Amino acid sequence: MSMPALNAIHFYPVKSMTGLAPAEAAVEPWGLAGDRRWMVAAPDGRMITQRQRPRLALAAAAPLPGGGVRLTGPGAEPLDVPVPDAAEHGTMTVELFRDKVEVVRAGAAADAWVSAHLGTEAHLVHLDDPARRRPIDPRYALPGETVSLADGYPLLVTTTASLAALNSLIAEGDRAHEGPLPMSRFRPNIVVDGTAPWAEDGWRRVRIGEVTFRAVKDCGRCVVTTVDQATAAKGGEPLRTLGRHRRISDKLVFGKNLVPENRGVLRVGDPVEVLEAVETQETQEVQEAREAREARGVLS
């Protein structure tokens, strides 16, 4: 097998809105430049994502010079939103899982736009200082490491081989009509080509082009993966198949969370070198868990 290579780069200016796929992107300590620096929040500060509002998949945010975004969506006039000034618009505390993060409100026009798109009152907010606002879970981070408004880690890597393997499993299941699924369901930052299926399970450190990363945690998947990113319609896959074949430590796993060790620029086509890996017992563990569930009558 030839050396793996970077197949695609994705970043998402507003959390849970449509992403972009540039040919190159700068890596900052907290993630790709411009990735998830904006978010939609409820009036009480709770995050709003496709988990609660799948229609967010139909909205897009394109970066503007200076860090702002242009919002577009079906039936709506585009809106340019500059980076907000806390002195002018004020701040609010938002809740992302167990984290409480101070962010800057984007202003009345942006709030009106996202509220109209979702059909409920909502606020657009901006993370002004990713270097100090939100530490990574200390179980997986070094002191001082931070993350943007992503779910928990600076970057997510997936592989084309694992997607092909998952789609083969979906095709063998009872909801084969839902497949094959595109990679967009998993909203990765980095997609790697040229590996064996599930090779990323054993990664501990990798170098992609000029940037090295610690591979700190398997990515447990949620209901966002069941949302068609083109239509916002929901289905049962891939969670049904992941539950049968990829249940690891009570998580339905697809992809790996990364923490960068240095700054640099990623470019599509960059070589991917695994610097440290472990011999994973995933296949055996998953098979044993699957057999146990079958014995209990959980699976047909």
Side-chain angles (χ1 to χ4, degrees):
M1 182 179 293
S2 60
M3 175 174 279
L6 179 55
N7 172 270
I9 300 168
H10 301 274
F11 77 104
Y12 311 86
V14 177
K15 184 180 180 69
S16 253
M17 289 189 185
T18 297
L20 296 94
E24 63 179 54
V27 177
E28 298 174 334
W30 41 84
L32 294 182
D35 185 49
R36 297 176 173 99
R37 291 286 297 276
W38 302 77
M39 189 183 82
V40 180
D44 64 2
R46 287 179 297 175
M47 67 176 178
I48 297 177
T49 71
Q50 291 182 36
R51 296 171 180 85
Q52 303 85 17
R53 299 283 176 172
R55 185 171 163 78
L56 271 174
L58 304 182
L64 296 173
V69 289
R70 173 169 293 167
L71 303 178
T72 57
E77 288 294 321
L79 179 69
D80 288 357
V81 185
V83 171
D85 181 359
E88 179 181 358
H89 296 294
T91 65
M92 66 182 293
T93 300
V94 296
E95 186 175 334
L96 286 80
F97 305 104
R98 284 180 275 183
D99 295 338
K100 294 185 183 297
V101 186
E102 185 179 4
V103 292
V104 182
R105 295 184 56 163
D111 290 352
W113 196 98
V114 295
S115 297
H117 178 77
L118 295 177
T120 188
E121 185 179 358
H123 302 292
L124 184 68
V125 299
H126 180 255
L127 180 66
D128 61 336
D129 189 357
R132 66 185 181 91
R133 293 292 188 203
R134 189 182 176 214
I136 300 172
D137 185 333
R139 292 176 296 174
Y140 304 100
L142 301 177
E145 290 182 328
T146 60
V147 62
S148 66
L149 298 174
D151 277 0
Y153 302 90
L155 292 95
L156 170 66
V157 62
T158 59
T159 68
T160 57
S162 295
L163 179 62
L166 177 61
N167 276 326
S168 293
L169 294 171
I170 291 173
E172 296 168 0
D174 56 4
R175 300 187 72 87
H177 62 281
E178 292 191 22
L181 301 182
M183 191 65 84
S184 60
R185 288 291 189 97
F186 302 94
R187 299 178 66 82
N189 294 113
I190 298 170
V191 181
V192 173
D193 200 12
T195 71
W198 318 121
E200 64 274 19
D201 290 351
W203 293 354
R204 292 299 176 265
R205 288 183 72 240
V206 295
R207 178 185 295 119
I208 304 175
E210 61 191 41
V211 185
T212 60
F213 301 89
R214 299 196 321 276
V216 296
K217 184 178 177 293
D218 294 331
C219 185
R221 308 318 302 229
C222 70
V223 295
V224 171
T225 60
T226 68
V227 177
D228 186 322
Q229 296 297 297
T231 67
K234 294 183 69 174
E237 293 291 4
L239 293 186
R240 187 173 179 85
T241 296
L242 289 175
R244 288 178 166 177
H245 299 281
R246 292 284 296 167
R247 188 182 295 272
I248 304 174
S249 301
D250 268 347
K251 301 291 185 182
L252 308 187
V253 170
F254 188 89
K256 199 87 173 185
N257 295 119
L258 303 180
V259 178
E261 295 184 332
N262 63 286
R263 292 176 180 261
V265 176
L266 299 179
R267 299 173 178 87
V268 171
D270 278 347
V272 177
E273 181 183 1
V274 179
L275 302 176
E276 295 179 19
V278 296
E279 290 297 327
T280 176
Q281 297 297 311
E282 180 271 332
T283 301
Q284 179 181 347
E285 291 175 359
V286 171
Q287 180 64 23
E288 290 175 352
R290 183 172 182 273
E291 290 173 353
R293 292 197 299 277
E294 287 175 341
R296 296 196 303 269
V298 175
L299 299 178
S300 57

